[in-house]
Amino acid sequence: MEVNSSVPPENDSASGGLHHLTSTSIPRRSPHQSPIRPGLVPTYFPVNTIIEKKEDNPGPRCGHTLTAVAAVGEEGSPGYIGPRLILFGGATALENNATTSGALSSPGSSSIRLAGATADVHCYDISSKKWSRITPLGEPPTPRAAHVAAAVGTMVVIQGGIGPAGLSSEDLHALDLTQQQPRWHKVAVQGSGPGPRYGHVMALVGQRFLMAIGGNDGNSCMYFRKRPLADVWALDTSAKPYKWLKLEPEGEGPPPCMLPLASAYGLVRDRDGHWAWAIALGVSPSPRYQHAAVFVHAQLHVSGGALGGGRMVEDRSSIAVLDTAAGVWCDTKAIVTSARAGRYSANATGGDTSFELIRRCRHAAAAVGDLVYVYGGLRSVDTSVEYLVEASAAEAETISAAIAAAKARKINGDVEQIQDSDDGVKAVPTGKQNSTLIMLESAMLSSILHGVQLHHRAVVVAAETGSALDCMVRQLSIDQFENEGRRVCCGTAENATAARKLFDQKMSINTVPKKVIAQLLKPRGWKPPVCRQFFLDCNEIGDLCDTAEHIFSNEPSVLVVKAPVKIFGDLHGQFGDLMRLFDEYGSPSTAGDIAYVDYLFLGDYVDRGQHSLETIVLLLALKVEYLHNIHLIRGNHEAADINALFGFRIECIERLGERDGIWAWHRFNRLFNWLPLAALIEKKIICMHGGIGRSINHVEQIENLQRPVAMEAGSVVLMDLLWSDPTENDSVEGLRPNARGPGLVSFGPDRVMEFCNANDVQLIVRAHECVMDGFERFAQGHLITLFSATNYCGTANNAGAILVLGRDLVVVPKLIHPLPPAISSPEASPKHTEHAWMQELNANRPPTPVRGRPQGTNDHGSHAWI
């Protein structure tokens, strides 16, 4: 780390340098280039940071935490605080090494000095690259190391650890960073929890569940001087009063041991609330512990670590990436197919200095956007790697030589390692075995190898050498292979053909949808493209539509959806609002909440807004990728005669060229004719785009609608379903003419109650109309109108909303408000272009007035103004 010359640099085996990398495991590329296979992990490099005062320098330390905290407010607005890294606690001294700047003693004689544990807080500002020490208000946690931390919104939650007085309490401490002056709070939690422990892990899962796993509780057991744990605790941050819940996940999880492990484990929560362990596919380049790991999108970046027995992770294995989407491990050379071996050497690393930077343990890492930051830890100042491992963590004293013996013993060799003393490991003849060691090894192996089983997914690498699919890696379910299971099941020719079709479908959908999601699903980082040329060509659009149409054609006209689910109203090409909703309330990705929350979209994806192509292709790609969790139904603008007039056709021609644009527009509209028409959630909530109009009395009438169906060929039921509206308010009953046009009707609250009673449903959720608050009740709350696009047509100044339906069928509206206009808006800016786009459309096709808003002569949303 480069510091100001006014601050003398400090040197110790506890490293204090800040380093970061670009997160993607492949080089940056143009969206128009063909996919590049995984294989190369990024390179770490030092960050030039600014330290103005000596106390602002965190200095060398280990056993600390580094937590990324999101920005507060909108950039450019008053009170905006940019993204930050918060460093808390850790050990700043080693035994026989009174200060952090003193010389190291001889190898093997030092361990972490817990008297050097601290409770100070340092902040690194990402944009200014400046370190500062902050002194929060409130009562701080006690000094500690080997604790855990996780970001919950703009708070950093601290738990556990070990300090000068022993184990820290199990209390949760929250550092609130919302205001300019941070403040410590102690979180009130009811009942029992994980208890005091250290060396564990904690993370916020799905932006909701605070998970604490494993560690040591300081108690002795038969085989360890400190007992290792493998229990799992969860705290639901969305439910008060807060309380810890001990989970019993299904499947085989990580064993309770202090051995370096090569496997990666994940916890999965299904829609019914059950948790299960899942082991990652692929071959890890090296076993390790006391390393750092952080997710960037679907990639787990692993750095450093120790091997035990006096060694650290060496060679290029010190930097590794697990691509969870592809199911492979990568290092700096290629996809890993076998564990790496060999000791560290400059020749083995090819002279890459990033290996030396990351060859450390007990450090901390955090991710901000596409960057991974690493700080501190223990590393070598000479070739004495053994010394560093022995002194590498607060819990180093608990690493029993008996465990090293159980791991490293040669089954048929002449020597094995057993515990001789606290100072190390000695070799003894094989015959002199300790019965305790044999029991320990047996118990350990039985917990790790609990039966031989075939993983339910296989990794597939395409063999089209030189093509765009060259070495693209994908995962397929075992039962999707045509020939593999012919000897273990009585398959028919029809089943084999169906399996082959499904296999072919899977092979084709793993290219365009993943490309779309990688390009567009950026809830926090998406910006309107300066160049209007669309990143997909018409062939890719055709492939995506073919795959999605096949899925829609196999779905019923009325979808059956289970809670929990998020419901979205009209989007109308306002892709930025979709990203804002994903950013604020969770996104449909493996890093988001798609594992346990479904997504339902109520139509009107295109027209009016400037980014209809981004909106529809992302939703289609998400549907292909998560076909059982993403649900799309049709709106009135998913029809050729409508979106030819309101912007979508123009956008296709403008961004794809006239020939390709017209072809793509026709292809999208053929797909729209296959979209489902309604959704029934838990048999209690019916969702549609428009309403029940004059003709719809029973859900079966919608179920009986045959698809594909074009709007002009549709029945009165289809017109009512996609076009009708509620009356002005609850006092206007019956059927009334609709201002949208001749032949269309508005229906009163009496019609709503009749439909609900006849179909045993309790709520109708529909979209179709812009409402000022993003959602609006009707018929005494038995109907809700939902609209997700803000400031509709650039004039309405309305909020956008989604409805989040929990498993308990409680509906929670969640809103976003229109963004304030930019302070300065150059004529060539994308924002100016978008306003010009909307103004031209509004002049030719005035928007439907906002529901329920008084129409004054000075109102820009009124007919008079238009």
Side-chain angles (χ1 to χ4, degrees), residues 527-823:
K527 299 293 183 184
V530 176
C531 175
R532 288 285 287 167
Q533 180 68 37
F534 196 53
F535 72 97
L536 294 182
D537 59 35
C538 64
N539 291 325
E540 292 172 309
I541 290 174
D543 290 343
L544 180 61
C545 288
D546 290 345
T547 306
E549 183 178 297
H550 176 76
I551 294 172
F552 293 137
S553 67
N554 286 286
E555 291 184 327
S557 293
V558 178
L559 300 173
V560 177
V561 180
K562 292 185 177 180
V565 60
K566 298 177 186 176
I567 310 173
F568 291 70
D570 290 27
L571 294 169
H572 277 301
Q574 296 185 204
F575 190 74
D577 286 335
L578 180 62
M579 290 300 100
R580 290 176 60 203
L581 289 166
F582 285 168
D583 183 30
E584 292 291 339
Y585 304 120
S587 64
S589 67
T590 53
D593 53 14
I594 193 64
Y596 58 88
V597 178
D598 280 13
Y599 285 69
L600 172 61
F601 298 86
L602 302 186
D604 277 13
Y605 313 114
V606 301
D607 281 345
R608 294 290 186 186
Q610 195 185 10
H611 302 289
S612 293
L613 280 172
E614 281 88 350
T615 304
I616 187 60
V617 300
L618 177 61
L619 293 181
L620 293 178
L622 290 170
K623 176 63 180 178
V624 172
E625 192 73 8
Y626 309 106
L627 71 162
H628 299 299
N629 306 100
I630 301 291
H631 311 284
L632 308 180
I633 66 174
R634 189 176 185 177
N636 64 303
H637 280 260
E638 278 71 64
D641 56 345
I642 301 300
N643 58 52
L645 303 175
F646 288 87
F648 185 48
R649 185 176 185 272
I650 297 173
E651 181 180 340
C652 290
I653 295 173
E654 176 192 324
R655 304 184 67 185
L656 292 166
E658 183 170 3
R659 186 191 66 177
D660 289 353
I662 292 176
W663 183 92
W665 174 75
H666 280 293
R667 183 64 191 91
F668 279 120
N669 278 290
R670 290 200 305 274
L671 167 74
F672 292 157
N673 291 338
W674 279 103
L675 283 171
L677 301 171
L680 187 61
I681 305 175
E682 300 289 352
K683 300 181 179 180
K684 295 296 182 184
I685 302 173
I686 182 73
C687 299
M688 59 193 69
H689 180 74
I692 55 176
R694 84 210 84 177
S695 63
I696 303 176
N697 299 309
H698 301 281
V699 175
E700 289 78 7
Q701 293 176 262
I702 310 173
E703 293 174 338
N704 292 334
L705 290 174
Q706 299 298 310
R707 298 170 297 137
V709 57
M711 189 75 70
E712 62 273 13
S715 62
V716 175
V717 172
L718 182 66
M719 294 299 293
D720 281 345
L721 191 66
L722 300 183
W723 282 94
S724 65
D725 298 303
T727 55
E728 296 175 6
N729 54 59
D730 282 2
S731 65
V732 182
E733 297 186 338
L735 296 174
R736 302 298 170 94
N738 193 314
R740 292 180 185 271
L744 302 178
V745 301
S746 298
F747 54 92
D750 51 334
R751 285 278 296 133
V752 172
M753 298 309 301
E754 290 170 3
F755 180 88
C756 289
N757 293 332
N759 295 275
D760 194 24
V761 297
Q762 300 175 6
L763 177 65
I764 298 174
V765 178
R766 46 91 64 172
H768 195 41
E769 283 186 292
C770 178
V771 289
M772 287 304 297
D773 294 318
F775 75 104
E776 185 178 279
R777 289 172 292 166
F778 181 75
Q780 298 297 310
H782 289 277
L783 181 145
I784 296 178
T785 296
L786 183 65
F787 203 82
S788 297
T790 68
N791 194 26
Y792 180 50
C793 292
T795 62
N797 201 34
N798 63 287
I802 63 173
L803 300 180
V804 180
L805 177 69
R807 190 170 287 105
D808 54 2
L809 300 188
V810 174
V811 180
V812 180
K814 296 192 174 183
L815 282 68
I816 57 172
H817 290 280
L819 293 175
I823 297 175

Side-chain angles (χ1 to χ4, degrees), residues 330-353:
C330 306
D331 62 12
T332 57
K333 298 295 184 182
I335 296 175
V336 179
T337 57
S338 61
R340 310 301 190 195
R343 298 183 61 82
Y344 174 81
S345 68
N347 292 334
T349 62
D352 191 339
T353 58

Side-chain angles (χ1 to χ4, degrees), residues 144-443:
R144 63 190 68 195
H147 54 282
V148 289
V152 180
T154 53
M155 295 189 296
V156 176
V157 179
I158 307 292
Q159 200 273 339
I162 188 169
L167 286 172
S168 304
S169 70
E170 69 169 329
D171 294 333
L172 284 177
H173 297 268
L175 178 60
D176 189 350
L177 297 155
T178 307
Q179 306 300 325
Q180 293 287 346
Q181 179 61 58
R183 177 182 290 273
W184 282 111
H185 301 277
K186 184 180 288 187
V187 182
V189 182
Q190 293 185 353
S192 60
R197 62 180 64 199
Y198 64 96
H200 49 310
V201 295
M202 185 170 72
L204 185 68
V205 177
Q207 302 184 32
R208 177 180 174 185
F209 295 98
L210 197 64
M211 312 290 294
I213 304 172
N216 292 279
D217 62 4
N219 296 321
S220 300
C221 68
M222 184 173 181
Y223 309 118
F224 302 91
R225 283 173 289 170
K226 296 294 184 288
R227 183 176 63 179
L229 304 169
D231 51 349
V232 181
W233 295 80
L235 185 146
D236 189 345
T237 61
S238 67
K240 288 187 177 181
Y242 299 128
K243 57 183 179 180
W244 285 106
L245 176 66
K246 188 174 183 180
L247 304 180
E248 300 293 342
E250 299 176 357
E252 290 297 321
C257 69
M258 290 175 291
L259 288 172
L261 298 176
S263 301
Y265 295 86
L267 273 175
V268 179
R269 185 177 187 267
D270 63 23
R271 60 182 306 113
D272 296 321
H274 300 133
W275 294 86
W277 283 110
I279 188 167
L281 298 177
V283 179
S284 171
S286 171
R288 68 188 80 208
Y289 67 139
Q290 298 172 356
H291 54 285
V294 60
F295 264 105
V296 179
H297 309 303
Q299 294 179 331
L300 182 67
H301 290 260
V302 179
S303 59
L307 292 171
R311 293 192 301 130
M312 295 182 71
V313 177
E314 299 154 347
D315 296 341
R316 64 176 185 262
S317 300
S318 60
I319 305 174
V321 173
L322 170 62
D323 190 327
T324 60
V328 295
W329 282 91
C330 306
D331 62 12
T332 57
K333 298 295 184 182
I335 296 175
V336 179
T337 57
S338 61
R340 310 301 190 195
R343 298 183 61 82
Y344 174 81
S345 68
N347 292 334
T349 62
D352 191 339
T353 58
S354 67
F355 290 103
E356 185 60 36
L357 290 174
I358 303 304
R359 209 162 57 91
R360 58 180 71 195
C361 60
R362 293 308 300 172
H363 50 295
V368 178
D370 288 335
L371 296 177
V372 174
Y373 291 81
V374 171
Y375 188 90
L378 286 149
R379 60 182 174 85
S380 169
V381 296
D382 52 25
T383 59
S384 181
V385 179
E386 289 80 2
Y387 163 74
L388 290 171
V389 175
E390 183 173 346
S392 63
E395 66 269 28
E397 63 180 5
T398 67
I399 302 175
S400 167
I403 301 303
K407 181 69 176 177
R409 180 167 57 90
K410 299 172 70 173
I411 303 300
N412 297 315
D414 296 330
V415 297
E416 69 169 336
Q417 297 173 338
I418 64 168
Q419 181 175 352
D420 182 76
S421 68
D422 291 345
D423 296 327
V425 177
K426 293 184 179 180
V428 300
T430 306
K432 298 182 179 180
Q433 296 183 1
N434 186 305
S435 60
T436 301
L437 290 176
I438 297 173
M439 184 180 298
L440 168 67
E441 183 182 25
S442 174

